[in-house]
Amino acid sequence: MNWKKSSGKAMIASSLISGVFVIPYQIFFINYFNQNYLDQSVGSATKDTYILFPELFNGLTTSFNPFIHIANPAGGSINIFIYGIGAATIFALIFLCFKFGISVFEKFLITIGISGILLTYFIQYIYWVDALDFRLLCPFTFPLWLVLFKKMFALFSLKTYAIAFLSLASGLLFTMLSKGNYLKNRKGAEEFLTSEGLKDKPILFYVKDVENLEEIQLAELLSTVSPDIDLTFKAKDTLKKNTLTPHKVLQKFKIDRNKYQ
């Protein structure tokens, strides 16, 4: 990060190359599929600060929870426990950094992590982005985790690995609890599309709200059988024979669900 150092020059040069790469990527890739992408996307943000800030808090606390990386969408007291562990982890990182100081390399990691999180948050004011969660924040929380574990290892030595073990164990338990019969669901989707004569034809899938996760997941399931499927938000498209709706699909076959998914 210092221009006078060879490592700083390499970092700045590689960053500039990455930035310039965006231009041909836009011209030769994005524009190939949608020439109006920028006009449709920039300025498409619809959320205000009173929504975005709580989403940031939820995303950070679940990302810094070493055991559970998602809160209960239905709410409840369990979320207080989940958010609490994540918040305690963040405070532990801040406390250890102030108590023991940070090296030059740790400053580098912290700068990457914090700047990435902030830029991802502020881009939401001009560009539509999914609610910030573990999936979107992990590239920037990862360097912060490295700093935290280094500080903890200096204090607790090999005992620090207990956190990693418990994290893997909780992930394995959650995976076992959340298993769904994917092959059964996919077979049902294939039989449905075949019966409707749509298996090998272009399909439109009508949704009212792109943030309705259940409807989007249903469209994704159908796309594993017939990849030529597009979303539509126009109610008049439901009159077309090749347009499916969640209600129409779920009338014909039952999805294997469980409460942990």
Side-chain angles (χ1 to χ4, degrees), residues 6 57 74 93 98 100 112 193 212 218 239 242 248:
S6 59
F57 172 81
L93 173 61
F98 276 104
F100 298 104
I112 290 177
L193 292 176
N212 188 319
L218 182 56
L239 300 176
N242 67 325
K248 182 177 180 179

Side-chain angles (χ1 to χ4, degrees), residues 6-164:
S6 59
S7 57
K9 293 179 181 179
M11 184 68 187
I12 293 173
S14 60
S15 299
L16 290 174
I17 293 173
S18 300
V20 173
F21 171 77
V22 173
I23 298 174
Y25 183 78
Q26 169 70 35
I27 296 173
F28 297 108
F29 184 78
I30 295 180
N31 283 356
Y32 177 80
F33 295 99
N34 185 0
Q35 293 184 349
N36 299 318
Y37 175 77
L38 285 179
D39 294 334
Q40 295 172 351
S41 301
V42 177
S44 63
T46 58
K47 296 181 180 179
D48 294 320
T49 301
Y50 75 92
I51 297 177
L52 293 177
F53 198 75
E55 287 183 352
L56 175 64
F57 172 81
N58 297 346
L60 284 175
T61 50
T62 51
S63 296
F64 279 101
N65 186 320
F67 312 115
I68 303 175
H69 302 308
I70 186 172
N72 183 1
S77 58
I78 185 64
N79 284 350
I80 299 176
F81 177 72
I82 294 173
Y83 296 146
I85 293 179
T89 304
I90 295 173
F91 283 119
L93 173 61
I94 296 173
F95 172 78
L96 292 175
C97 286
F98 276 104
K99 183 175 179 63
F100 298 104
I102 52 178
S103 65
V104 174
F105 183 63
E106 288 173 343
K107 288 180 181 178
F108 172 72
L109 293 177
I110 292 174
T111 301
I112 290 177
I114 294 178
S115 62
I117 291 171
L118 291 178
L119 289 172
T120 305
Y121 171 79
F122 284 113
I123 195 67
Q124 295 178 104
Y125 286 100
I126 61 172
Y127 182 87
W128 184 88
V129 179
D130 289 341
L132 299 187
D133 57 9
F134 173 80
R135 176 178 60 88
L136 294 179
L137 293 177
C138 64
F140 311 115
T141 57
F142 178 70
L144 300 178
W145 273 110
L146 292 179
V147 175
L148 175 60
F149 277 119
K150 185 179 180 182
K151 299 296 183 186
M152 293 185 65
F153 192 83
L155 283 175
F156 305 110
S157 187
L158 295 176
K159 295 178 182 178
T160 306
Y161 287 104
I163 297 177

Side-chain angles (χ1 to χ4, degrees), residues 198-233:
L198 296 173
K199 183 179 178 181
D200 300 314
K201 296 181 180 180
I203 301 172
L204 290 176
F205 190 86
Y206 172 72
V207 293
K208 292 182 179 179
D209 185 0
V210 73
E211 293 191 23
N212 188 319
L213 186 59
E214 186 173 342
E215 293 182 352
I216 296 300
Q217 286 179 334
L218 182 56
E220 290 175 347
L221 175 62
L222 295 174
S223 71
T224 63
V225 179
S226 178
D228 193 1
I229 182 171
D230 290 310
L231 296 179
T232 178
F233 306 97

